[in-house]
Amino acid sequence: DNAARITALADSPSVAARTAELLRTLELPAARVLLVAHLPLLGLLVHCLADEVVSFSPGTLVDVQMDDAWDEGRVTRVVGPNGAGA
């Protein structure tokens, strides 16, 4: 079950990489998925999914568009806490 798989990530030394791998194996529908995380995990997760480095401050939103197989992603939008693109 997915909840148990997600909970198991807490003990992993590479949480971001394991989270990205888990997302790829969940067979998610071709729709938007909202991930909520704290720094620095969110930046590491974006790097694992999109192979891009994004500068984050608290309250930053990042849109990562994944291909259908969840093999490759790209950052399509970054919105800082003041509403401006970061």
Side-chain angles (χ1 to χ4, degrees):
D1 106 328
N2 290 340
R5 290 164 64 190
I6 292 170
T7 301
L9 290 173
D11 295 328
S12 171
S14 181
V15 175
R18 301 229 341 122
T19 301
E21 184 59 30
L22 174 67
L23 289 170
R24 290 182 176 103
T25 64
L26 290 179
E27 299 181 16
L28 298 168
R32 293 188 182 269
V33 175
L34 174 66
L35 301 174
V36 178
H38 294 279
L39 300 173
L41 177 60
L42 191 56
L44 296 170
L45 185 57
V46 168
H47 180 70
C48 289
L49 292 172
D51 197 27
E52 294 184 41
V53 176
V54 176
S55 176
F56 285 92
S57 61
T60 300
L61 301 175
V62 178
D63 189 353
V64 178
Q65 183 175 356
M66 300 300 295
D67 66 6
D68 290 338
W70 279 71
D71 291 328
E72 294 182 22
R74 65 183 178 90
V75 173
T76 58
R77 182 174 36 176
V78 178
V79 179
N82 63 1

Coordinates of all heavy atoms in Angstrom, one line a residue:
D1 N 0.8 -1.2 0.0 CA 0.0 0.0 0.0 C 0.9 1.2 0.0 O 2.0 1.2 0.6 CB -1.0 -0.1 1.1 CG -0.8 0.7 2.4 OD1 0.3 1.0 2.7 OD2 -1.8 1.1 2.9
N2 N 0.4 2.3 -0.7 CA 1.2 3.5 -0.9 C 1.6 4.2 0.4 O 2.7 4.7 0.6 CB 0.5 4.5 -1.8 CG 0.4 3.9 -3.2 OD1 1.2 3.1 -3.6 ND2 -0.5 4.4 -4.0
A3 N 0.7 4.2 1.4 CA 1.0 4.9 2.7 C 2.1 4.3 3.4 O 3.0 4.9 3.9 CB -0.3 4.9 3.6
A4 N 2.2 2.9 3.4 CA 3.3 2.2 4.0 C 4.6 2.5 3.3 O 5.7 2.7 3.9 CB 3.0 0.7 4.1
R5 N 4.5 2.6 1.9 CA 5.7 2.8 1.1 C 6.3 4.2 1.4 O 7.5 4.5 1.5 CB 5.4 2.6 -0.3 CG 5.2 1.1 -0.6 CD 4.6 0.9 -2.0 NE 5.4 1.4 -3.1 CZ 4.9 1.4 -4.3 NH1 3.7 1.1 -4.6 NH2 5.7 1.8 -5.3
I6 N 5.3 5.2 1.5 CA 5.8 6.6 1.8 C 6.3 6.7 3.2 O 7.4 7.4 3.4 CB 4.6 7.5 1.6 CG1 4.2 7.6 0.1 CG2 4.9 8.9 2.1 CD1 2.9 8.3 -0.2
T7 N 5.7 6.1 4.2 CA 6.2 6.1 5.5 C 7.6 5.5 5.6 O 8.5 6.0 6.4 CB 5.3 5.3 6.5 OG1 4.0 5.9 6.4 CG2 5.7 5.4 7.9
A8 N 7.9 4.5 4.9 CA 9.2 3.8 4.9 C 10.3 4.8 4.4 O 11.5 4.6 4.8 CB 9.2 2.6 4.0
L9 N 10.0 5.8 3.7 CA 11.0 6.7 3.2 C 11.6 7.5 4.3 O 12.7 8.0 4.1 CB 10.3 7.7 2.2 CG 9.9 7.2 0.9 CD1 9.1 8.2 0.1 CD2 11.1 6.7 0.1
A10 N 10.9 7.7 5.4 CA 11.5 8.5 6.5 C 12.8 8.0 7.0 O 13.6 8.8 7.5 CB 10.4 8.6 7.6
D11 N 13.1 6.7 6.9 CA 14.3 6.1 7.4 C 15.4 6.1 6.3 O 16.5 5.6 6.6 CB 14.0 4.7 7.9 CG 13.1 4.7 9.1 OD1 13.1 5.7 9.8 OD2 12.3 3.7 9.2
S12 N 15.1 6.6 5.1 CA 16.1 6.5 4.1 C 17.1 7.7 4.1 O 16.7 8.8 4.4 CB 15.4 6.6 2.7 OG 16.3 6.7 1.7
P13 N 18.4 7.4 3.9 CA 19.4 8.5 3.9 C 19.2 9.4 2.6 O 19.7 10.5 2.6 CB 20.7 7.8 3.9 CG 20.4 6.4 3.3 CD 19.0 6.1 3.7
S14 N 18.5 8.9 1.6 CA 18.4 9.7 0.4 C 16.9 9.9 0.1 O 16.3 9.4 -0.8 CB 19.0 9.0 -0.8 OG 18.9 9.8 -1.9
V15 N 16.2 10.6 1.0 CA 14.8 10.8 0.9 C 14.3 11.3 -0.4 O 13.3 10.8 -1.0 CB 14.3 11.7 2.1 CG1 12.8 11.9 2.0 CG2 14.6 11.0 3.4
A16 N 14.9 12.4 -0.9 CA 14.5 13.0 -2.2 C 14.5 12.0 -3.3 O 13.6 11.9 -4.1 CB 15.3 14.2 -2.5
A17 N 15.7 11.3 -3.4 CA 15.8 10.3 -4.5 C 14.8 9.2 -4.4 O 14.2 8.8 -5.4 CB 17.2 9.8 -4.6
R18 N 14.6 8.7 -3.2 CA 13.6 7.6 -3.0 C 12.2 8.1 -3.2 O 11.4 7.4 -3.7 CB 13.8 7.0 -1.6 CG 15.2 6.5 -1.4 CD 15.4 5.1 -0.8 NE 14.3 4.5 -0.2 CZ 13.8 3.4 -0.5 NH1 14.3 2.7 -1.6 NH2 12.8 2.8 0.1
T19 N 11.9 9.4 -2.8 CA 10.6 9.9 -3.1 C 10.3 10.0 -4.6 O 9.2 9.7 -5.1 CB 10.4 11.3 -2.4 OG1 10.6 11.1 -1.0 CG2 9.0 11.8 -2.7
A20 N 11.3 10.5 -5.3 CA 11.2 10.6 -6.8 C 10.9 9.2 -7.4 O 10.1 9.1 -8.3 CB 12.4 11.3 -7.4
E21 N 11.7 8.3 -6.9 CA 11.5 6.9 -7.4 C 10.1 6.4 -7.1 O 9.5 5.7 -7.9 CB 12.6 6.0 -6.9 CG 12.6 4.6 -7.4 CD 12.7 4.5 -8.9 OE1 13.4 5.4 -9.5 OE2 12.2 3.6 -9.5
L22 N 9.7 6.6 -5.9 CA 8.3 6.2 -5.5 C 7.3 6.8 -6.4 O 6.3 6.1 -6.9 CB 8.0 6.5 -4.0 CG 6.6 6.3 -3.6 CD1 6.4 4.8 -3.5 CD2 6.4 6.9 -2.2
L23 N 7.4 8.1 -6.7 CA 6.4 8.8 -7.5 C 6.4 8.1 -8.9 O 5.3 8.0 -9.5 CB 6.7 10.2 -7.7 CG 6.5 11.1 -6.4 CD1 7.1 12.5 -6.5 CD2 5.0 11.1 -6.1
R24 N 7.5 7.7 -9.4 CA 7.6 7.1 -10.7 C 6.9 5.7 -10.7 O 6.5 5.2 -11.7 CB 9.1 6.9 -11.1 CG 9.7 8.3 -11.5 CD 11.1 8.1 -12.0 NE 11.7 9.4 -12.4 CZ 12.5 10.1 -11.6 NH1 13.0 9.6 -10.5 NH2 13.0 11.2 -12.0
T25 N 6.9 5.0 -9.6 CA 6.3 3.7 -9.5 C 4.8 3.6 -9.1 O 4.2 2.6 -9.2 CB 7.1 2.8 -8.5 OG1 6.9 3.3 -7.2 CG2 8.5 2.7 -8.9
L26 N 4.2 4.8 -8.8 CA 2.9 4.8 -8.3 C 1.8 4.7 -9.4 O 0.6 4.6 -9.2 CB 2.6 6.0 -7.5 CG 3.2 6.1 -6.1 CD1 2.9 7.4 -5.4 CD2 2.8 4.9 -5.3
E27 N 2.3 4.8 -10.7 CA 1.4 4.7 -11.8 C 0.3 5.8 -11.7 O -0.9 5.5 -11.8 CB 0.7 3.3 -12.0 CG 1.8 2.3 -12.3 CD 1.2 0.9 -12.5 OE1 0.0 0.8 -12.7 OE2 2.0 -0.1 -12.4
L28 N 0.7 7.0 -11.5 CA -0.2 8.2 -11.3 C -0.8 8.5 -12.6 O -0.3 8.3 -13.7 CB 0.6 9.4 -10.7 CG 1.2 9.2 -9.4 CD1 2.1 10.3 -9.0 CD2 0.1 9.1 -8.3
P29 N -2.1 9.0 -12.6 CA -2.7 9.4 -13.8 C -2.1 10.6 -14.4 O -1.3 11.3 -13.8 CB -4.2 9.7 -13.4 CG -4.0 10.1 -11.9 CD -2.9 9.3 -11.4
A30 N -2.4 10.8 -15.7 CA -1.8 11.9 -16.4 C -2.5 13.2 -16.0 O -3.4 13.7 -16.6 CB -1.9 11.7 -17.9
A31 N -2.2 13.6 -14.8 CA -2.9 14.8 -14.2 C -1.9 15.5 -13.3 O -0.8 15.0 -13.1 CB -4.1 14.4 -13.4
R32 N -2.3 16.6 -12.7 CA -1.4 17.3 -11.8 C -1.4 16.6 -10.4 O -2.4 16.1 -10.0 CB -1.8 18.7 -11.6 CG -1.7 19.5 -12.9 CD -1.9 21.0 -12.6 NE -1.8 21.7 -13.8 CZ -0.7 22.3 -14.3 NH1 0.4 22.2 -13.6 NH2 -0.7 23.0 -15.4
V33 N -0.2 16.6 -9.8 CA 0.0 16.0 -8.5 C 0.6 17.1 -7.7 O 1.6 17.8 -8.1 CB 0.9 14.8 -8.5 CG1 1.2 14.3 -7.1 CG2 0.3 13.7 -9.4
L34 N 0.1 17.4 -6.5 CA 0.6 18.4 -5.6 C 1.5 17.8 -4.5 O 1.0 16.9 -3.8 CB -0.5 19.2 -4.9 CG -0.1 20.2 -3.9 CD1 0.7 21.4 -4.5 CD2 -1.3 20.8 -3.1
L35 N 2.7 18.2 -4.5 CA 3.6 17.7 -3.4 C 3.9 18.8 -2.5 O 4.2 19.9 -2.9 CB 4.9 17.2 -4.0 CG 4.8 16.1 -5.1 CD1 6.2 15.8 -5.7 CD2 4.3 14.8 -4.4
V36 N 3.8 18.6 -1.2 CA 4.1 19.6 -0.2 C 5.3 19.1 0.6 O 5.3 18.0 1.1 CB 2.9 19.9 0.7 CG1 3.2 20.9 1.8 CG2 1.7 20.3 -0.1
A37 N 6.3 19.9 0.7 CA 7.5 19.5 1.4 C 8.2 20.7 2.1 O 7.8 21.9 1.8 CB 8.5 18.8 0.5
H38 N 9.1 20.5 2.9 CA 9.9 21.5 3.5 C 11.3 21.6 2.9 O 11.7 20.7 2.2 CB 10.1 21.2 5.0 CG 8.8 21.2 5.8 ND1 8.3 22.4 6.3 CD2 8.0 20.2 6.2 CE1 7.2 22.1 6.9 NE2 7.0 20.8 6.9
L39 N 11.9 22.7 3.1 CA 13.3 22.9 2.6 C 14.2 22.1 3.5 O 14.0 22.0 4.7 CB 13.7 24.4 2.6 CG 12.8 25.3 1.8 CD1 13.1 26.8 2.1 CD2 12.9 25.0 0.3
P40 N 15.2 21.5 3.0 CA 15.7 21.5 1.6 C 15.1 20.4 0.8 O 15.5 20.2 -0.4 CB 17.2 21.3 1.7 CG 17.3 20.4 2.9 CD 16.2 20.8 3.9
L41 N 14.2 19.5 1.3 CA 13.7 18.4 0.6 C 13.1 18.8 -0.7 O 13.3 18.1 -1.7 CB 12.7 17.6 1.5 CG 12.1 16.4 0.8 CD1 13.1 15.4 0.3 CD2 11.1 15.7 1.7
L42 N 12.3 19.8 -0.7 CA 11.6 20.2 -2.0 C 12.6 20.5 -3.1 O 12.4 20.1 -4.2 CB 10.7 21.4 -1.7 CG 9.7 21.7 -2.8 CD1 8.8 20.5 -3.2 CD2 8.8 22.9 -2.5
G43 N 13.7 21.2 -2.8 CA 14.7 21.5 -3.8 C 15.4 20.3 -4.3 O 15.6 20.1 -5.5
L44 N 15.7 19.4 -3.4 CA 16.3 18.1 -3.7 C 15.3 17.3 -4.6 O 15.8 16.6 -5.6 CB 16.7 17.3 -2.5 CG 17.8 18.0 -1.6 CD1 17.9 17.2 -0.3 CD2 19.1 18.1 -2.4
L45 N 14.1 17.3 -4.3 CA 13.1 16.5 -5.0 C 12.9 17.1 -6.4 O 12.9 16.3 -7.4 CB 11.7 16.5 -4.3 CG 10.6 15.7 -4.9 CD1 11.1 14.2 -5.0 CD2 9.4 15.8 -4.0
V46 N 12.9 18.4 -6.6 CA 12.8 19.0 -7.9 C 14.0 18.6 -8.7 O 14.0 18.2 -9.9 CB 12.7 20.5 -7.8 CG1 12.9 21.2 -9.2 CG2 11.3 20.9 -7.3
H47 N 15.2 18.6 -8.1 CA 16.4 18.2 -8.8 C 16.4 16.8 -9.2 O 16.8 16.4 -10.3 CB 17.6 18.4 -7.8 CG 18.9 18.0 -8.5 ND1 19.5 18.8 -9.5 CD2 19.7 17.0 -8.3 CE1 20.6 18.2 -9.9 NE2 20.8 17.1 -9.2
C48 N 15.8 15.9 -8.4 CA 15.7 14.5 -8.8 C 14.7 14.2 -9.9 O 14.9 13.4 -10.8 CB 15.3 13.6 -7.5 SG 16.6 13.4 -6.3
L49 N 13.6 15.0 -9.9 CA 12.6 14.8 -10.9 C 12.9 15.5 -12.2 O 12.6 15.0 -13.3 CB 11.2 15.4 -10.4 CG 10.6 14.6 -9.3 CD1 9.4 15.4 -8.7 CD2 10.2 13.2 -9.7
A50 N 13.5 16.7 -12.1 CA 13.7 17.5 -13.3 C 15.2 17.8 -13.7 O 15.5 18.4 -14.7 CB 13.0 18.9 -13.2
D51 N 16.1 17.3 -12.8 CA 17.5 17.5 -13.0 C 17.8 19.0 -13.2 O 18.6 19.4 -14.0 CB 18.0 16.7 -14.2 CG 19.6 16.5 -14.2 OD1 20.1 16.6 -13.1 OD2 20.2 16.4 -15.3
E52 N 17.1 19.8 -12.4 CA 17.3 21.2 -12.4 C 17.5 21.7 -10.9 O 17.0 21.1 -10.0 CB 16.1 22.0 -13.0 CG 15.9 21.7 -14.5 CD 14.8 22.5 -15.0 OE1 14.7 23.7 -14.7 OE2 14.0 22.0 -15.8
V53 N 18.3 22.7 -10.8 CA 18.5 23.3 -9.4 C 17.6 24.6 -9.4 O 17.8 25.5 -10.2 CB 20.0 23.7 -9.2 CG1 20.1 24.4 -7.9 CG2 20.8 22.4 -9.2
V54 N 16.8 24.7 -8.4 CA 15.9 25.8 -8.2 C 16.1 26.4 -6.9 O 16.2 25.7 -5.9 CB 14.4 25.4 -8.3 CG1 13.5 26.6 -8.1 CG2 14.1 24.8 -9.7
S55 N 16.3 27.7 -6.8 CA 16.5 28.4 -5.5 C 15.1 28.6 -4.9 O 14.2 29.1 -5.5 CB 17.1 29.8 -5.8 OG 17.2 30.5 -4.6
F56 N 15.0 28.1 -3.6 CA 13.8 28.2 -2.9 C 13.9 29.1 -1.7 O 14.9 29.2 -1.0 CB 13.4 26.8 -2.3 CG 12.9 25.9 -3.4 CD1 13.7 25.0 -4.0 CD2 11.5 25.8 -3.6 CE1 13.2 24.2 -5.0 CE2 11.0 25.0 -4.6 CZ 11.9 24.1 -5.3
S57 N 12.8 29.8 -1.3 CA 12.6 30.4 -0.1 C 11.3 29.9 0.5 O 10.5 29.3 -0.3 CB 12.6 31.9 -0.2 OG 11.5 32.3 -1.0
P58 N 11.0 30.0 1.7 CA 9.8 29.5 2.3 C 8.6 30.1 1.5 O 8.6 31.3 1.2 CB 9.8 29.9 3.7 CG 11.2 29.9 4.1 CD 11.9 30.5 2.8
G59 N 7.6 29.3 1.1 CA 6.4 29.7 0.4 C 6.6 29.7 -1.1 O 5.7 30.1 -1.8
T60 N 7.6 29.1 -1.6 CA 7.8 29.1 -3.1 C 7.1 27.9 -3.6 O 7.1 26.8 -3.0 CB 9.3 28.9 -3.4 OG1 10.0 30.0 -2.9 CG2 9.6 28.8 -4.9
L61 N 6.4 28.1 -4.8 CA 5.7 27.0 -5.5 C 6.5 26.7 -6.8 O 7.0 27.7 -7.4 CB 4.3 27.4 -5.8 CG 3.4 27.8 -4.7 CD1 2.1 28.3 -5.2 CD2 3.2 26.6 -3.8
V62 N 6.6 25.5 -7.1 CA 7.3 25.1 -8.3 C 6.4 24.1 -9.1 O 5.9 23.2 -8.6 CB 8.7 24.4 -8.0 CG1 9.4 24.0 -9.3 CG2 9.6 25.4 -7.3
D63 N 6.3 24.4 -10.4 CA 5.5 23.5 -11.3 C 6.5 22.7 -12.1 O 7.3 23.2 -12.8 CB 4.7 24.3 -12.2 CG 3.7 23.5 -13.0 OD1 3.7 22.2 -13.0 OD2 2.8 24.1 -13.7
V64 N 6.5 21.3 -11.9 CA 7.4 20.4 -12.6 C 6.5 19.6 -13.5 O 5.6 18.9 -13.1 CB 8.2 19.5 -11.7 CG1 9.0 18.5 -12.5 CG2 9.0 20.3 -10.7
Q65 N 6.7 19.7 -14.8 CA 5.9 18.9 -15.8 C 6.7 17.7 -16.1 O 7.9 17.7 -16.5 CB 5.7 19.7 -17.1 CG 4.9 19.0 -18.1 CD 4.6 19.9 -19.3 OE1 4.9 21.1 -19.4 NE2 3.9 19.3 -20.3
M66 N 6.0 16.5 -15.8 CA 6.7 15.2 -16.1 C 6.1 14.6 -17.4 O 5.0 14.9 -17.8 CB 6.3 14.3 -14.9 CG 6.8 14.7 -13.5 SD 8.6 14.9 -13.4 CE 9.2 13.2 -13.6
D67 N 7.0 13.8 -18.0 CA 6.5 13.1 -19.2 C 5.5 12.0 -18.8 O 5.4 11.7 -17.6 CB 7.6 12.6 -20.1 CG 8.5 11.5 -19.4 OD1 8.1 11.1 -18.3 OD2 9.5 11.1 -20.0
D68 N 4.9 11.4 -19.7 CA 3.9 10.4 -19.4 C 4.4 9.2 -18.6 O 3.7 8.6 -17.8 CB 3.2 9.8 -20.6 CG 2.3 10.9 -21.3 OD1 1.9 11.8 -20.6 OD2 2.0 10.8 -22.5
A69 N 5.7 8.8 -18.7 CA 6.2 7.7 -18.0 C 6.9 8.1 -16.7 O 7.5 7.3 -16.0 CB 7.3 7.0 -18.9
W70 N 6.9 9.4 -16.4 CA 7.5 10.0 -15.2 C 9.0 9.7 -15.3 O 9.7 9.6 -14.2 CB 6.9 9.4 -13.9 CG 5.7 10.1 -13.5 CD1 4.5 10.0 -14.2 CD2 5.5 11.0 -12.5 NE1 3.5 10.8 -13.6 CE2 4.1 11.4 -12.5 CE3 6.3 11.5 -11.5 CZ2 3.6 12.3 -11.6 CZ3 5.8 12.4 -10.6 CH2 4.4 12.8 -10.6
D71 N 9.6 9.7 -16.5 CA 11.1 9.5 -16.6 C 11.8 10.8 -16.6 O 12.9 10.9 -16.1 CB 11.4 8.7 -17.9 CG 10.9 7.3 -17.8 OD1 10.9 6.7 -16.7 OD2 10.6 6.7 -18.9
E72 N 11.2 11.8 -17.2 CA 11.9 13.1 -17.3 C 10.9 14.2 -17.0 O 9.7 14.1 -17.3 CB 12.4 13.3 -18.7 CG 13.5 12.4 -19.2 CD 13.9 12.7 -20.6 OE1 13.8 13.8 -21.0 OE2 14.5 11.8 -21.2
G73 N 11.4 15.2 -16.3 CA 10.6 16.4 -15.9 C 11.3 17.6 -16.3 O 12.5 17.7 -16.5
R74 N 10.5 18.7 -16.3 CA 11.2 20.0 -16.5 C 10.4 21.0 -15.6 O 9.2 20.9 -15.5 CB 11.2 20.4 -17.9 CG 9.9 20.6 -18.6 CD 10.0 21.0 -20.1 NE 8.8 21.1 -20.7 CZ 8.1 22.2 -20.8 NH1 8.6 23.4 -20.3 NH2 6.9 22.3 -21.4
V75 N 11.1 22.0 -15.1 CA 10.5 23.1 -14.3 C 9.8 24.0 -15.3 O 10.5 24.6 -16.2 CB 11.5 23.8 -13.5 CG1 10.9 25.0 -12.8 CG2 12.1 22.8 -12.4
T76 N 8.5 24.2 -15.2 CA 7.8 25.1 -16.1 C 7.4 26.4 -15.5 O 7.1 27.4 -16.2 CB 6.5 24.4 -16.6 OG1 5.7 24.1 -15.5 CG2 6.9 23.2 -17.4
R77 N 7.4 26.5 -14.1 CA 7.1 27.8 -13.4 C 7.6 27.7 -12.0 O 7.5 26.7 -11.3 CB 5.6 27.9 -13.4 CG 5.1 29.2 -12.8 CD 3.6 29.4 -12.9 NE 2.9 28.1 -12.8 CZ 1.6 28.0 -12.8 NH1 0.8 29.1 -13.0 NH2 1.0 26.8 -12.7
V78 N 8.1 28.9 -11.5 CA 8.5 29.1 -10.2 C 7.8 30.4 -9.7 O 8.0 31.4 -10.3 CB 10.1 29.2 -10.0 CG1 10.4 29.4 -8.6 CG2 10.7 27.9 -10.6
V79 N 7.1 30.3 -8.6 CA 6.4 31.4 -8.0 C 6.9 31.6 -6.6 O 6.7 30.7 -5.8 CB 4.9 31.3 -8.1 CG1 4.2 32.5 -7.5 CG2 4.4 31.0 -9.5
G80 N 7.5 32.8 -6.3 CA 8.0 33.1 -5.0 C 6.8 33.5 -4.0 O 5.7 33.7 -4.5
P81 N 7.1 33.7 -2.8 CA 6.1 34.0 -1.8 C 5.4 35.3 -2.1 O 4.3 35.5 -1.6 CB 6.8 34.0 -0.5 CG 8.2 34.1 -0.8 CD 8.4 33.5 -2.2
N82 N 6.0 36.2 -2.8 CA 5.4 37.5 -3.1 C 4.6 37.4 -4.4 O 4.1 38.5 -4.9 CB 6.4 38.6 -3.2 CG 7.5 38.4 -4.3 OD1 7.4 37.4 -5.0 ND2 8.4 39.3 -4.4
G83 N 4.5 36.3 -5.0 CA 3.7 36.1 -6.2 C 4.6 36.2 -7.5 O 4.1 36.0 -8.6
A84 N 5.8 36.7 -7.4 CA 6.6 36.9 -8.6 C 7.4 35.6 -8.9 O 7.6 34.8 -8.0 CB 7.7 38.0 -8.3
G85 N 7.8 35.5 -10.2 CA 8.6 34.4 -10.6 C 10.0 34.5 -9.9 O 10.5 35.6 -9.8
A86 N 10.4 33.3 -9.4 CA 11.7 33.4 -8.7 C 12.9 33.3 -9.7 O 12.7 32.9 -10.8 CB 11.8 32.2 -7.7

